[in-house]
Amino acid sequence: MAILDTPRPDPLPAPFLDALKDLLGEKGWTREPEALTAAATPWRGAFAPGHTPLVARPASTAEAAALVKLCARHGVAITPQGGNTGLVDGGTPHGEITVSMTRMQAVRDLDRFNNSLIIEAGTPLVTAQEAAREADRLFPLSLGSEGSATIGGLISTNAGGVAVLRYGMMRDLLLGLEVVLPSGDVWDGLSGLRKNNTGYDLKHLFAGAEGTLGLITAATLKLFPAVQRASAWITCESAGDVVALLARIRETAGDTVTSFEMIPENAVRMVREDMANLRDPLPSSSPWRVLCEISMGNENHARETLENALGDALEDGLASDAVIAENLGQAGDFWAIRESIPLSKKAFGMSVNHDVSVPVSKIPDFLEAAARDVAAIAPQAEIVAFGHVGDGNLHYSACDPADPEQSALKPKAGDITAAVHARAMSFGGSISAEHGVGRLKRDELAGIRPPAATEAMGAIKQALDPLGIMNPGRVVNV
Ligand SMILES: Cc1cc2nc3c(=O)[nH]c(=O)nc-3n(C[C@H](O)[C@H](O)[C@H](O)COP(=O)(O)OP(=O)(O)OC[C@H]3O[C@@H](n4cnc5c(N)ncnc54)[C@H](O)[C@@H]3O)c2cc1C
């Protein structure tokens, strides 16, 4: 592979390497080619691979702090890495040493009465969910990469997922943080307080900073009462009906609506073709499906509320058909279809992907206008638009059933992206709803953000990281 074959002069000074080896011990670092390649390879070829001269694996906050201090002393740049599932080229190193957080996975404290969990940054999301469940509590963040994505990565990308409608994004689930600053100093802000008006709320600086302001070593997360779920698979005849259906169900079920995922018919078809074991819960020619979940303390109440809400919607004609999962296994089957879309889309062939958001009410108009724009550039493109419609967030792809290298869409990808992004912006939307900025969207966003915002971000970066060693070139170009 190119990463291994290209000879590169060692960019790491010998005194730095000697000190690092003493500091971290044998388990704390590697220069094995396989490990370097793995660290520099993004999730399933989401973008081009990078390269890294060394992977460091601190096992404690003290080790992480000493490591960053050492890097600052020698001017060695760092890319913090968790599960390496990010989709915007933020956690893949491009010459920096990789600081992998995967040895920091301790649950430090769980306080059932304060409803808070202190957990280390390298812990996979599923472990946090399980820890909460064992204490009869809920940590609500949930997304397709939850087996690999880590708490530190999720905070750093301010991840969203399928329960944002009710519980908010990662930033909303954060009570406190412990961070190694670019100087190597540690900020211990792990307080589990819900009220603490003592000046700038520093934790929010690091949420969404994508590792550019410091290395997160631990976090205090909000927990919620455990809930029981009721899930429905619904068919709708238009995007307008989907949006009206959400409003209708919320009128009946209020804040108990946890997820409301919009899935087009062609996405279900792609999943079915790719994964023979998954079946469409309600085969029909309707153009849209909705996966709706309601959660309440009592399972029967949740089911009853969902049944009532759906009854009204079917009567009004906002839904054409619906089925409620009989048990957790069936609900899991619904989610398996939803969560398989990204991989099945990849198996289908070429796709030009976007992570946009618009006000929920504008979704139907956006879909219509963007489809027209894309057709004008690439008439053969098949549009697959799915996502968290309750948050106005669509994963919008132009697809072609061809080898990505040969596809006629390939030379048009830049124009398609420009058109989709321009259309989202024209509806008052965002071109990065939940995946972040990384290197992929840095320059485009610099041209879109108000100049005062870019200037303020640059000033914060300079103030905290004057040497520019923390994940340089991501988010802001300083
Ligand atoms: C199949 C799939 C489904 C997904 N679904 C969703 C979804 O529904 N919603 C959503 O929001 N996202 C989704 N994502 C993307 C999501 O952003 C990432 O999965 C996750 O947030 C990144 O976590 P990670 O541990 O893999 O971080 P990485 O990819 O390793 O890193 C991401 C960024 O965080 C930084 N970082 C990592 N750890 C630290 C740390 N300890 N301190 C400081 N900086 C750090 C990195 O430098 C990088 O900039 C999905 C991804 C995949 C592959």
Side-chain angles (χ1 to χ4, degrees):
M1 204 163 172
I3 303 166
L4 300 182
D5 293 342
T6 313
R8 295 173 191 279
D10 193 341
L12 302 176
F16 169 80
L17 276 174
D18 292 343
L20 180 137
K21 289 172 189 172
D22 280 351
L23 174 67
L24 298 178
E26 247 176 54
K27 284 191 188 158
W29 65 279
T30 178
R31 304 194 86 180
E32 289 288 327
E34 293 74 18
L36 302 187
T37 303
T41 304
W43 181 81
R44 296 185 193 257
F47 40 84
H51 61 97
T52 187
L54 181 143
V55 177
R57 297 174 178 140
S60 66
T61 302
E63 278 189 10
L67 171 66
V68 174
K69 214 161 235 165
L70 183 67
C71 290
R73 197 175 315 132
H74 289 271
V76 172
I78 291 168
T79 290
Q81 192 174 84
N84 200 12
T85 65
L87 299 172
V88 290
D89 201 358
T92 304
H94 290 268
E96 304 84 5
I97 69 159
T98 305
V99 177
S100 165
M101 298 305 288
T102 47
R103 285 176 77 211
M104 292 193 63
Q105 299 203 3
V107 173
R108 291 192 193 165
D109 185 50
L110 191 151
D111 185 336
R112 291 180 79 239
F113 295 127
N114 195 48
N115 276 317
S116 58
L117 169 68
I118 302 183
I119 194 161
E120 292 189 342
T123 314
L125 174 55
V126 278
T127 309
Q129 294 166 342
E130 275 159 23
R133 202 174 303 124
E134 277 168 22
D136 199 24
R137 293 291 182 270
L138 170 76
F139 182 62
L141 193 80
S142 175
L143 38 75
S145 55
E146 62 195 24
S148 309
T150 62
I151 296 302
L154 293 156
I155 294 168
S156 299
T157 58
N158 186 27
V162 296
V164 173
L165 187 58
R166 177 156 179 194
Y167 296 101
M169 295 182 66
M170 191 64 182
R171 177 175 274 127
D172 303 302
L173 303 172
L174 206 52
L175 288 174
L177 278 183
E178 179 186 82
V179 182
V180 178
L181 301 173
S183 60
D185 293 339
V186 178
W187 169 52
D188 179 351
L190 284 175
S191 142
L193 294 176
R194 281 172 165 75
K195 285 191 167 176
N196 185 18
N197 268 345
T198 52
Y200 302 141
D201 198 341
L202 289 182
K203 63 180 179 289
H204 289 306
L205 259 188
F206 297 97
E210 299 181 35
T212 58
L213 301 180
L215 182 65
I216 296 170
T217 45
T220 310
L221 305 177
K222 279 184 200 168
L223 300 182
F224 295 82
V227 287
Q228 306 294 323
R229 299 165 200 280
S231 314
W233 185 268
I234 307 161
T235 58
C236 292
E237 300 309 314
S238 71
D241 283 352
V242 172
V243 168
L245 177 67
L246 170 63
R248 181 54 121 122
I249 291 182
R250 291 186 96 186
E251 278 158 21
T252 307
D255 266 354
T256 64
V257 184
T258 310
S259 302
F260 198 87
E261 298 287 303
M262 182 180 195
I263 303 166
E265 185 275 331
N266 60 356
V268 177
R269 178 168 39 81
M270 282 178 191
V271 171
R272 294 270 298 107
E273 281 166 8
D274 184 36
M275 307 204 173
N277 59 323
L278 296 182
R279 59 173 200 91
D280 185 346
L282 266 182
S284 89
S285 56
S286 302
W288 294 101
R289 314 287 190 272
V290 167
L291 175 43
C292 173
E293 200 157 86
I294 278 184
S295 50
M296 297 174 82
N298 177 293
E299 193 178 341
N300 291 336
H301 290 167
R303 198 182 164 88
E304 220 171 277
T305 306
L306 186 54
E307 274 169 3
N308 288 340
L310 282 175
D312 293 346
L314 284 162
E315 219 164 86
D316 291 354
L318 297 178
S320 45
D321 205 352
V323 58
I324 296 180
E326 286 298 330
N327 49 46
L328 283 178
Q330 218 175 63
D333 292 344
F334 295 176
W335 279 107
I337 295 180
R338 162 64 184 85
E339 300 296 13
S340 299
I341 297 173
L343 277 182
S344 297
K345 192 156 51 71
K346 205 162 170 43
F348 178 75
M350 169 80 183
S351 60
V352 187
N353 301 316
H354 310 91
D355 166 41
V356 296
S357 62
V358 294
V360 176
S361 54
K362 305 287 184 212
I363 284 176
D365 292 344
F366 167 77
L367 286 171
E368 213 177 295
R372 250 191 341 260
D373 297 341
V374 173
I377 299 165
Q380 78 277 33
E382 179 168 359
I383 303 300
V384 177
F386 68 100
H388 321 297
V389 68
D391 322 322
N393 178 193
L394 292 172
H395 299 305
Y396 189 96
S397 300
C399 303
D400 177 25
D403 180 327
E405 287 309 310
Q406 313 295 329
S407 167
L409 284 192
K410 194 176 174 206
K412 297 177 174 175
D415 289 345
I416 292 172
T417 294
V420 172
H421 284 178
R423 192 50 82 179
M425 294 300 293
S426 80
F427 282 102
S430 168
I431 65 161
S432 183
E434 64 173 2
H435 293 160
V437 181
R439 287 160 42 106
L440 286 190
K441 293 185 182 169
R442 180 197 61 200
D443 294 339
E444 193 178 353
L445 273 165
I448 290 173
R449 266 194 221 106
T454 300
E455 206 176 298
M457 285 190 194
I460 292 168
K461 170 75 178 167
Q462 292 275 20
L464 284 183
D465 183 20
L467 299 173
I469 60 164
M470 289 303 302
N471 223 8
R474 280 68 166 187
V475 185
V476 281
N477 208 353
V478 181

